[in-house]
Amino acid sequence: MKTKNKAAKFFSVLILLLIGFILYWSFTKPVSVIIQAGHEGRTTGNTGAESKHYREEEWNIIVADEVARLLKLWHIDVKRIPARVYPMKATIAVSIHFDGATKPCRSGASIGYPNQNSYAFAQKWKSLYKTYFPFKWHKDNFTKNLKYYYAYNYIKADKFLLLELGELSCKKQTNWLQPRLKKIAHLVAYSIATELGHSVKKPQF
Ligand SMILES: [Zn+2]
């Protein structure tokens, strides 16, 4: 009787471990691309930039959704995630953000990344977006939030870019950005697909 109980215990533990492993595997399974909408789902802490008319989170979601939709359309496997992260693996991870400034129009576009592995990809993005975005650019990793972004520690990606796509507290910039959000998303998706070796059509502005 005792041995039977032991065997039953052993197998139920084994089954639980197996279920745990399958769940863990499905959550952490490597994907080609991870797209994060910055601040999405946050109600406390860093909830993102805000201006009179716009909230960063909303714009991040519009852009991130469109990037993910296009990548799927081009048959690239993509995981679209909110602010909350857990250990994940990807070839490319991109986090979408818009900046805010206490003195309006002092900011603009910038890029953050965790290390030099992402440097070349970052420069490609900059030279592409620079041909469209007619406002200020900061140096890469110009704030701690860019250089030490929390998600770098959870998402293991060969290349990880945090994109600040413009300044939400500057009316001149929002006037330019707002009608172009989907075009900008197309540009982001295009540069990711190209980086992965896919040939897709360059968007026209
Ligand atoms: Zn942000």
Side-chain angles (χ1 to χ4, degrees):
M1 196 62 183
K2 265 188 176 168
T3 24
K4 248 190 184 174
N5 269 344
K6 261 188 185 171
K9 251 187 195 166
F10 175 76
F11 279 110
S12 45
V13 167
L14 204 68
I15 286 166
L16 281 175
L17 279 174
L18 190 69
I19 292 171
F21 176 76
I22 290 168
L23 280 176
Y24 178 79
W25 182 81
S26 63
F27 274 120
T28 56
K29 183 170 65 123
V31 286
S32 297
V33 184
I34 287 173
I35 301 293
Q36 181 188 48
H39 315 280
E40 183 184 5
R42 280 251 162 90
T43 48
T44 54
N46 189 352
T47 52
E50 258 177 77
S51 73
K52 232 186 197 174
H53 306 286
Y54 307 111
R55 283 187 60 229
E56 184 194 345
E57 183 189 353
E58 283 170 17
W59 281 24
N60 293 343
I61 291 170
I62 293 170
V63 174
D65 281 349
E66 182 67 4
V67 175
R69 188 187 72 82
L70 287 165
L71 291 174
K72 272 183 204 153
L73 196 72
W74 300 335
H75 307 290
I76 295 169
D77 63 317
V78 53
K79 199 175 206 167
R80 169 64 183 84
I81 62 162
R84 184 194 284 260
V85 288
Y86 46 85
M88 290 174 238
K89 277 185 196 145
T91 310
I92 290 178
V94 172
S95 182
I96 304 294
H97 289 258
F98 289 86
D99 206 4
T102 17
K103 286 189 177 163
C105 303
R106 286 284 179 90
S107 197
S110 56
I111 315 173
Y113 41 86
N115 56 52
Q116 288 303 301
N117 297 346
S118 307
Y119 178 80
F121 182 31
Q123 303 322 304
K124 274 187 232 165
W125 165 252
K126 194 191 275 184
S127 60
L128 182 67
Y129 194 38
K130 251 188 178 171
T131 59
Y132 301 97
F133 183 74
F135 305 99
K136 188 180 165 64
W137 275 86
H138 289 288
K139 269 198 285 180
D140 298 355
N141 281 339
F142 85 105
T143 64
K144 278 188 179 161
N145 282 339
L146 292 174
K147 199 170 179 203
Y148 305 110
Y149 191 54
Y150 72 100
Y152 298 154
N153 298 324
Y154 293 89
I155 301 170
K156 293 294 156 224
D158 298 344
K159 295 164 193 173
F160 196 142
L161 298 186
L162 187 168
L163 303 180
E164 297 278 5
L165 296 166
E167 189 198 315
L168 216 114
S169 40
C170 178
K171 201 170 180 312
K172 261 189 185 170
Q173 292 192 36
T174 52
N175 282 349
W176 185 88
L177 289 162
Q178 209 238 345
R180 291 176 177 81
L181 288 178
K182 293 222 166 157
K183 289 264 181 194
I184 294 165
H186 197 158
L187 211 58
V188 175
Y190 165 81
S191 67
I192 292 169
T194 312
E195 191 68 16
L196 288 169
H198 294 256
S199 80
V200 294
K201 233 180 133 195
K202 196 173 175 178
Q204 298 299 314
F205 263 61

